[in-house]
Amino acid sequence: MSPLSTSDFTALSDAQLFAERNKFLKQGTAVGITCVPFSGGQPKGGVDDGPVEMVRFGILDQLEGMGYSVELSSGMDKYKTMKPASDPPIGVLKNARYVSAAAKRVSEQVREHCEAGRIAVTLGGDHSIALGTLVGSTSVYGDDLCVIWVDAHADINTPETTESGNLHGCPLSYILGLCGEIPGDQPFGWVPSGCVRKDRLVYIGLRDVDSAEKMLLRKHNIKAFSMHDVDKHGIGRIVEMALDHVNKDRNLPVHMSFDVDALDPSVAPATGTPVRGGLTFREGHYICEAVAESGCLVTLDLVEVNPRLGDPESLRQTVAVGCSLVRCSLGERLL
């Protein structure tokens, strides 16, 4: 295909422009949506209603309005009905069987979208589902996949270091291979250990990190930009440095996992683990805009919207921000 001129770009929809820039998607104007109404990775009810509220708010119509064709994974209700009758703790880990089963199903649905060449967008649900999205995306894109984790929390606790036992704080330890080999008949035994390389992971927005997690980040030399770094350098420079670390030549596929608690609670109040001092509205959106402009994004998670927390205005505000972040990640532009 010959390069497009400036006049050509002005005639394109946001979806077409995103597709022209993207280096990896076979169907660049097609979006595969997986809605995961799941709360088993943490104790607060309501986060399982997050994807339903985003659909109700119009995210599917909004993406179609940008020029995308939308393919919605089927069987959303199965995430609630697949909960085992008995799921006693394994050590301190809570709901391990349920989390494992749900994440495996997520991995299969995300893999299907990736194999078809669509950009795979997963709406959660708590952040434990990222265990599934990352297995699904790496099964297609391999260990070249770069991961940008936007979050107030590191989510890298192991079964030995977690104090709460809540698995939404542990997905990266399984993905990075920090939990060792797990027998295939045990929860998470299906997860390929180390399917994401440690040097392909970068964090943005950290500000509430357990002491054991800090030690793990240092031990494994995992790059992380905290809110201190954002304050010091500005979000534009931070995103540039994050991409340079994992994808210097911008020639590798990128998975972005965005927890809305990365945003300050004044921006996204309806979430389960809010922490003051987070990203502003524009900082969060700039991350999504810049990653979209890189031409490398192939998979996206948007998680931890909890409609039951806060008043109706808090819900409306958080759902609206979640939908806006998705749109910006898929190329919505201010001009």
Side-chain angles (χ1 to χ4, degrees), residues 166-202:
N166 296 325
L167 280 159
H168 73 159
C170 303
L172 284 171
S173 66
Y174 289 96
I175 290 295
L176 297 171
L178 305 184
C179 301
E181 293 298 326
I182 302 171
D185 60 348
Q186 297 297 311
F188 311 110
W190 56 275
V191 177
S193 181
C195 58
V196 170
R197 289 169 39 179
K198 300 179 186 69
D199 62 341
R200 295 273 191 251
L201 167 65
V202 63

Side-chain angles (χ1 to χ4, degrees), residues 30-37 51-52 55 59-60 63-64 69-79 102-116 118-123 129 132-133 136 299-300:
V31 183
I33 301 283
T34 303
C35 292
V36 189
V52 175
V55 171
I59 184 59
L60 305 184
L63 293 176
E64 289 177 347
S69 61
V70 177
E71 180 76 20
L72 185 63
S73 293
S74 62
M76 183 170 64
D77 292 340
K78 289 184 180 179
Y79 285 103
K104 186 175 183 180
R105 187 165 189 270
V106 172
S107 73
E108 294 164 354
Q109 293 185 304
V110 170
R111 182 180 69 242
E112 181 179 347
H113 289 310
C114 292
E115 286 177 339
R118 300 184 281 265
I119 183 164
V121 176
T122 305
L123 307 178
I129 68 171
T133 63
T299 43
L300 171 70

Side-chain angles (χ1 to χ4, degrees), residues 16 23 28 43 47 49 55 97 138 141 148 169 181 200 202 216 227 235 261 274-275 277 284 295 335:
Q16 290 170 319
K23 306 172 180 76
V47 72
D49 293 329
V55 171
R97 298 163 189 82
T138 55
Y141 293 103
I148 300 175
E181 293 298 326
R200 295 273 191 251
V202 63
L216 287 168
M227 285 307 300
I235 196 62
D261 73 21
V275 186
L335 296 174

Side-chain angles (χ1 to χ4, degrees), residues 147-171:
V147 179
I148 300 175
W149 196 271
V150 187
D151 203 326
H153 309 92
D155 295 347
I156 198 172
N157 269 307
T158 69
E160 291 72 36
T161 66
T162 177
E163 295 181 3
S164 70
N166 296 325
L167 280 159
H168 73 159
C170 303

